[in-house]
Amino acid sequence: MDFNFTEEQIMIQQSARDYAQRELIKDVLERDAKAEYPAHHVKALAELGFLGMLVSTEWDGGGMDTVSYVLAMEEISKVDSSVSVIMSVNNSLVCYGIESFGTTEQKEKWLRPLARGEQIGAFLLSEPEAGSDATSQRTLATDMGDHYLVNGTKNWITNANSAETYLLIAQTHPEKGHKGINVLLVDRHAPGISLGPHEDKMGMRSSDTHSVMFTDVKVPKGNRIGEDGFGFKFAMKTLEGGRIGIAAQALGIAQGAYERSVQYAKDRKAFGTQIINHQAIGFKLAEMRIRIEAARYFCLKAAWLKDQHLPYGIASAMAKYYAAETAMYVTTEAVQIHGGYGYVKEYHVERLMREAKLTQIYEGTSEIQQIIISRDIMAE
Ligand code: CAA
């Protein structure tokens, strides 16, 4: 095992860190308060090549490896996960799905602008009654011969308003269960698509999240990815990589809260000394650091396996589970270390705690990751 990063990986990490520490930090609190979409940051990240960093250069992407992606996601998420989730959904769900399973024609038309970051995409799987239980898709893509007619509602869709391309998962043959599900490339501006209001979220408030309603939306047959009925497998395979992105996001949230806590514990004095000298605080910081380091290894292992084209589904479930739990633990302790200051917005750690909560929920809750891991144990 080689624990050293390559020069290129370090450069990418540094570039993400510079942008986050110089630019994102400036307006993160204001955007969180106003739930304002970070349009100028998305544009800047596109110019830096981060929005399509995992896509091969052949399709106008950055051609970077998954380890670099983890490093970049961590740096951006240390400061602002509303921005890193946009990067994650575009890279590891939408672009990955099209690049891995789309036809050459589909890649020409849909992937190139996403890989260049000129457009962004959204991944539409969850529904009002199909969150964790993802096979229970009720949105219908009825086969009309040369096209599908889509009717139904998708929920909690990241990038719903800002995306140009939707990767839509919908049921075509309800009698076949999950084997009847398809995945379609949909133009977000197609007639019959409407959005619910911007969700007033607890955290990651400046990313745009809506429900999406489809009423008799016509989607050409040529927009289906893969064979008839491939949609559920597509979603599962794509989420395996997506979860590495969210794991890295959770890692960044934890690291961000940890760094702020160390600084605070060195600055703040109580009972005549810096509070870091009190064992109650020193032990908390030690525990935070240990868990973060373990989460980092989980993330890098999953990324490395993916880069080696080895199976990584279980590794990504473990990384997602452990990093999300770590983010929640670390941010809660960070607020505790900051005391009263931790409970006000100015010190950032309460925001990081709100962001951490979402990492335990989306792209498969912590309990779903446990299901995936426990089923693997059973199958062993
Ligand atoms: N790769 C390939 N195929 C897979 C797979 C994988 N990783 N996991 C499951 N499958 C296949 C199974 O083999 C099975 O196919 P066969 O019948 O042909 O064997 C089929 O899929 C159904 O699998 P299960 O019987 O295991 O299905 P299940 O109903 O028990 O559910 C689950 C499995 C893992 C719990 C799945 O429903 C799941 O992942 N749920 C969570 C959904 C989720 O992560 N949603 C996230 C929404 S997107 C999001 O959050 C993005 C965002 O905004 C940031």
Side-chain angles (χ1 to χ4, degrees), residues 126 132 158 178-179 232-233 236 240 243 363-364 375:
S126 302
S132 288
T158 306
H178 71 79
K179 292 187 196 311
F232 191 72
K233 290 230 161 152
M236 292 298 106
E240 285 184 351
R243 288 167 184 155
E363 297 209 17
R375 284 185 181 172

Side-chain angles (χ1 to χ4, degrees), residues 85 89 93 123 125-126 131-135 156 158 178-179 232-233 236-237 239-240 243 362-364 368 371-372 375:
V85 70
V89 168
L93 293 181
F123 186 80
L125 173 65
S126 302
S132 288
D133 185 8
T135 60
W156 310 295
T158 306
H178 71 79
K179 292 187 196 311
F232 191 72
K233 290 230 161 152
M236 292 298 106
K237 283 175 183 286
L239 278 163
E240 285 184 351
R243 288 167 184 155
Y362 63 14
E363 297 209 17
I368 288 293
I371 289 179
I372 293 169
R375 284 185 181 172

Side-chain angles (χ1 to χ4, degrees), residues 22 88 108 141 181 300 347:
R22 202 182 54 236
S88 180
E108 282 292 348
I181 292 171
L300 291 172
Y347 282 75

Side-chain angles (χ1 to χ4, degrees), residues 258-289 337-338:
Y258 168 76
E259 287 176 13
R260 287 182 180 280
S261 301
V262 170
Q263 191 58 53
Y264 182 82
K266 287 181 179 173
D267 292 345
R268 176 77 173 168
K269 290 205 172 92
F271 306 102
T273 183
Q274 295 159 296
I275 63 170
I276 199 165
N277 292 324
H278 297 300
Q279 206 174 60
I281 302 298
F283 277 17
K284 274 192 201 303
L285 291 169
E287 184 67 27
M288 288 155 89
R289 182 168 162 181
I337 289 170
H338 282 73

Side-chain angles (χ1 to χ4, degrees), residues 9-299:
Q9 287 164 343
I10 291 168
M11 232 172 60
I12 293 163
Q13 181 185 43
Q14 193 58 49
S15 155
R17 183 177 298 160
D18 287 348
Y19 188 78
Q21 302 292 336
R22 202 182 54 236
E23 301 298 333
L24 289 178
I25 194 68
K26 283 184 193 159
D27 59 352
V28 62
L29 290 178
E30 195 185 336
R31 279 185 290 102
D32 178 66
K34 294 184 181 162
E36 189 181 292
Y37 184 71
H40 56 296
H41 293 304
V42 173
K43 192 164 174 285
L45 286 182
E47 281 159 12
L48 287 168
F50 284 123
L51 288 188
M53 64 187 288
L54 286 178
V55 180
S56 64
T57 49
E58 183 192 348
W59 296 108
D60 296 345
M64 299 173 212
D65 63 3
T66 318
V67 168
S68 303
Y69 177 57
V70 165
L71 298 176
M73 278 295 294
E74 179 185 347
E75 292 302 328
I76 303 288
S77 310
K78 269 159 70 173
V79 179
D80 188 353
S81 286
S82 291
V83 170
S84 69
V85 70
I86 297 168
M87 184 172 143
S88 180
V89 168
N90 199 63
N91 263 297
S92 45
L93 293 181
V94 182
C95 288
Y96 173 83
I98 303 172
E99 185 170 18
S100 304
F101 305 109
T103 62
T104 303
E105 271 178 10
Q106 288 169 342
K107 290 182 207 176
E108 282 292 348
K109 179 173 174 194
W110 303 87
L111 181 59
R112 285 196 192 281
L114 294 168
R116 290 195 292 261
E118 292 163 5
Q119 298 181 357
I120 56 169
F123 186 80
L124 289 75
L125 173 65
S126 302
E127 297 189 352
E129 290 173 83
S132 288
D133 185 8
T135 60
S136 298
Q137 296 286 307
R138 285 177 174 71
T139 296
L140 288 178
T142 309
D143 191 337
M144 306 298 281
D146 65 339
H147 67 274
Y148 291 101
L149 206 57
V150 179
N151 282 283
T153 301
K154 293 288 170 179
N155 252 28
W156 310 295
I157 302 306
T158 306
N159 299 343
N161 190 37
S162 46
E164 299 291 328
T165 298
Y166 284 173
L167 263 187
L168 171 72
I169 318 290
Q171 180 57 271
T172 299
H173 312 283
E175 71 287 355
K176 293 189 185 168
H178 71 79
K179 292 187 196 311
I181 292 171
N182 275 313
V183 54
L184 308 176
L185 286 154
V186 180
D187 176 351
R188 175 250 181 281
H189 301 290
I193 295 179
S194 58
L195 301 191
H198 178 94
E199 296 289 357
D200 192 6
K201 303 193 298 281
M202 176 200 258
M204 301 198 204
R205 292 173 50 75
S206 103
S207 77
D208 92 78
T209 310
H210 299 253
S211 52
V212 183
M213 280 73 77
F214 293 83
T215 310
D216 288 338
V217 177
K218 260 178 101 168
V219 180
K221 264 283 176 64
N223 289 16
R224 188 186 74 211
I225 297 182
E227 295 295 305
D228 191 18
F230 177 61
F232 191 72
K233 290 230 161 152
F234 171 93
M236 292 298 106
K237 283 175 183 286
T238 303
L239 278 163
E240 285 184 351
R243 288 167 184 155
I244 299 177
I246 301 304
Q249 178 183 62
L251 170 65
I253 294 170
Q255 179 68 26
Y258 168 76
E259 287 176 13
R260 287 182 180 280
S261 301
V262 170
Q263 191 58 53
Y264 182 82
K266 287 181 179 173
D267 292 345
R268 176 77 173 168
K269 290 205 172 92
F271 306 102
T273 183
Q274 295 159 296
I275 63 170
I276 199 165
N277 292 324
H278 297 300
Q279 206 174 60
I281 302 298
F283 277 17
K284 274 192 201 303
L285 291 169
E287 184 67 27
M288 288 155 89
R289 182 168 162 181
I290 293 164
R291 294 195 196 194
I292 290 169
E293 195 67 357
R296 184 169 290 112
Y297 292 139
F298 274 117
C299 290

